[in-house]
Amino acid sequence: MHSPDPLGGTRPTSRDVARIAGVSQATVSLVLGDKWRGRVSERTAETVRLAAHELGYRPNLAARNLRLGRTRTALLVVPALTNEFFAHVHTGAAAVAAQHGFGVVLYPSPDGVGPARDPFASAQAALDGVIASSMAAGALQAFRGTDLPLVMLDSDPADPGASAHVNLDVADGMRRITRHLLDLGHRSFLHMASAVPSWTFDVRAAALAHTLRGAGLRTVRAPLNVADAREAAHLALSAPGPRPTAVICDDDILAVGVGKAAHRLGLRVPDDLSVTGFDDMTLATAVEPELTTVRLPAEEFGRRGMEALLAVLAGEPAPPVTLPVDLVPRGSTGPAPAA
């Protein structure tokens, strides 16, 4: 997507230059800002300059003012304000921002599916950059194709529309929790998957299927709330045929819904059914038995996202980051019941 040109037509952006030159947007900023020496090769610099010339790229002066910190404001776009995880992401981002004289505005996009609307008359006039966490594909079109830096958290690292990527190793988290259940003797599984179509949940599903290989697996999707998860789990667990011995959930919220469904059906957790979550928010230890789950470093995630945005604004490289996660075994998982 190109930005409107005040003289008519469309104006090429630095993202277009990066795509044609086969480099990152940060590299384009370094070269065209004449800060590349010692950071990129002469050959790469020349490739960027030629691409800019061929496209007729003209730096956006308004955006350049933003790079210099005219507004000193970043927008953090999240799927919802009802999920505690994103509150911690904001806390981490705001802490780093404050150290650099920046503010962070928190903006929810409906269910992470969007589309997220430009919250201002023009985001470019009011912001230095955007950090987007765990958003569905296509939800951020209002912020793409402009010179406004976009840092993506928990999203596809191959997405060329972002200035930088910071991710959590959610695939490793799902592998760890699945192996934990396999080690406990479970061979029949239900995956309570999030109904939100986003990269992070696709990665979890792929890691689960790959780790289980030949084990029995059924997948049921539910919106990220307790009531819908409870109803979906009730139907799945009361269906004809052998009942799974373990339910692997994409989120702690879904796991709580599964626990409620199990209770309604007279199933004991973990004696009859093991249940796992993902996130390790307050909810995980507010229920009985407490949830076995995957702990995500939410505040560190927000901090690293803000650091990446500040690097891009300074014209410095912002290499992709993947943060490790931890398995937290608790009382909701136990040995598979005897057949």
Side-chain angles (χ1 to χ4, degrees):
M1 183 185 294
H2 298 291
S3 300
D5 191 313
L7 299 178
T10 58
R11 175 176 53 80
T13 70
S14 59
R15 282 192 177 85
D16 296 319
V17 177
R19 177 174 52 82
I20 296 298
V23 300
S24 69
Q25 192 181 2
T27 298
V28 171
S29 297
L30 285 172
V31 173
L32 299 185
D34 201 28
K35 299 179 180 178
W36 61 272
R37 291 173 180 80
R39 297 181 178 182
V40 301
S41 69
E42 174 68 50
R43 181 177 180 180
T44 297
E46 183 61 21
T47 300
V48 170
R49 285 192 290 263
L50 286 173
H53 178 73
E54 290 173 7
L55 288 171
Y57 172 71
R58 301 189 307 275
N60 183 331
L61 294 180
R64 176 169 290 180
N65 286 337
L66 294 177
R67 303 296 190 280
L68 296 174
R70 183 172 61 81
T71 66
R72 306 193 77 77
T73 303
L75 185 72
L76 174 60
V77 185
V78 300
L81 296 179
T82 53
N83 191 319
E84 180 192 351
F85 175 79
F86 299 112
H88 289 288
V89 172
H90 176 265
T91 298
V96 171
Q99 294 170 2
H100 294 82
F102 270 68
V104 177
V105 177
L106 187 60
Y107 178 64
S109 171
D111 296 324
V113 178
R117 294 174 295 278
D118 185 338
F120 306 103
S122 171
Q124 289 199 77
L127 300 169
D128 279 358
V130 177
I131 305 171
S133 180
S134 313
M135 301 297 293
L140 295 164
Q141 293 306 317
F143 305 108
R144 295 182 187 272
T146 72
D147 278 324
L148 199 62
L150 173 61
V151 174
M152 297 292 290
L153 311 183
D154 200 24
S155 62
D156 187 352
D159 183 348
S163 304
H165 288 275
V166 179
N167 278 316
L168 300 160
D169 200 345
V170 292
D172 182 57
M174 188 57 87
R175 285 191 294 267
R176 288 191 186 198
I177 214 158
T178 305
R179 288 169 184 154
H180 168 70
L181 290 167
L182 288 170
D183 288 345
L184 288 169
H186 294 275
R187 295 297 181 269
S188 179
F189 297 86
L190 175 67
H191 179 204
M192 183 58 61
S194 166
V196 175
S198 69
W199 174 87
T200 185
F201 295 124
D202 290 344
V203 167
R204 297 174 204 198
L208 170 60
H210 183 265
T211 307
L212 286 180
R213 294 184 178 88
L217 174 64
R218 179 185 175 192
T219 298
V220 174
R221 298 187 181 278
L224 279 172
N225 65 75
V226 172
D228 284 319
R230 182 191 65 213
E231 294 307 315
H234 190 281
L235 288 173
L237 294 173
S238 59
R243 189 176 59 238
T245 64
V247 184
I248 299 176
C249 302
D250 274 349
D251 189 280
D252 293 342
I253 294 171
L254 297 177
V256 170
V258 172
K260 284 181 169 290
H263 180 73
R264 281 186 173 188
L265 292 168
L267 301 174
R268 297 166 299 164
V269 176
D271 296 343
D272 302 314
L273 186 73
S274 287
V275 180
T276 66
F278 213 100
D279 278 2
D280 196 29
M281 294 293 103
T282 303
L283 194 61
T285 53
V287 295
E288 287 292 344
E290 295 183 352
L291 277 175
T292 294
T293 188
V294 173
R295 178 175 296 153
L296 305 181
E299 286 195 24
E300 176 68 11
F301 196 38
R303 286 195 292 270
R304 298 296 285 272
M306 190 66 209
E307 287 171 356
L309 179 59
L310 291 170
V312 172
L313 289 169
E316 299 172 355
V321 173
T322 300
L323 298 178
V325 302
D326 293 310
L327 171 66
V328 184
R330 295 194 182 102
S332 70
T333 52

